């Protein structure tokens, strides 16, 4: 699966919500995030098909540390949720919720 050139990338909650459009802006954002931490990885804990175009993925940060702070984080608490919208084999929208409790209400889901 690939990212659509006009992907909509959203971080819906947290201290700095983000809404970007386009592959270049999305990749630049992720590069900046990766440069601020070392060895940080997102790990999927499970998924749920919401409909024929959307998949919800439970994620958590598995390890890593802040380059500036030197703080280390392993198996970050409850984790977050990412919702991938797919059309014609391409991800057209990616919404990240840092707080798992926020997403079900925003998506009209029961927990």
């Amino acid at each position: 699966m690939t990212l659509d050139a006009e992907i909509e990338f959203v971080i819906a909650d947290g201290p700095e919500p983000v809404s970007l459009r386009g592959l270049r802006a999305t990749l630049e954002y992720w590069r900046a995030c990766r440069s601020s931490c070392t060895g940080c990885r997102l790990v999927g804990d499970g998924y749920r098909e919401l409909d024929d175009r959307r998949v919800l993925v439970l994620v958590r940060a598995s390890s890593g540390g802040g380059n500036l702070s030197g703080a280390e984080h392993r198996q970050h608490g409850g984790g977050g949720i990412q919702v991938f919208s797919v059309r014609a084999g391409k991800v057209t929208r990616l919404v990240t919720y840092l707080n798992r409790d926020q997403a079900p209400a925003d998506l009209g889901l029961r927990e």
Side-chain angles (χ1 to χ4, degrees):
M1 196 168 323
T2 59
L3 300 178
D4 187 84
E6 295 300 316
I7 187 170
E8 180 182 1
F9 175 74
V10 177
I11 296 181
D13 60 359
E16 296 182 35
V18 171
S19 181
L20 303 171
R21 171 78 62 184
L23 186 57
R24 179 176 292 225
T26 300
L27 293 176
E28 287 174 2
Y29 178 85
W30 278 111
R31 282 185 190 118
C33 284
R34 288 184 51 98
S35 70
S36 68
C37 68
T38 338
C40 185
R41 295 181 329 143
L42 290 180
V43 175
D45 283 337
Y47 72 94
R48 174 180 171 186
E49 291 183 34
L50 299 177
D51 53 42
D52 63 342
R53 291 193 174 167
R54 296 181 305 156
V55 176
L56 179 150
V57 180
L58 300 173
V59 295
R60 63 182 160 81
S62 68
S63 62
N67 283 340
L68 297 176
S69 69
E72 188 172 330
H73 41 271
R74 295 200 182 275
Q75 300 206 351
H76 162 65
I81 289 177
Q82 291 188 312
V83 178
F84 292 80
S85 297
V86 180
R87 186 176 40 229
K90 292 185 178 184
V91 178
T92 57
R93 187 168 196 249
L94 173 57
V95 180
T96 299
Y97 294 88
L98 302 177
N99 179 349
R100 282 191 184 173
D101 296 334
Q102 176 90 28
D106 284 1
L107 297 169
L109 303 173
R110 292 184 211 157
E111 297 197 33

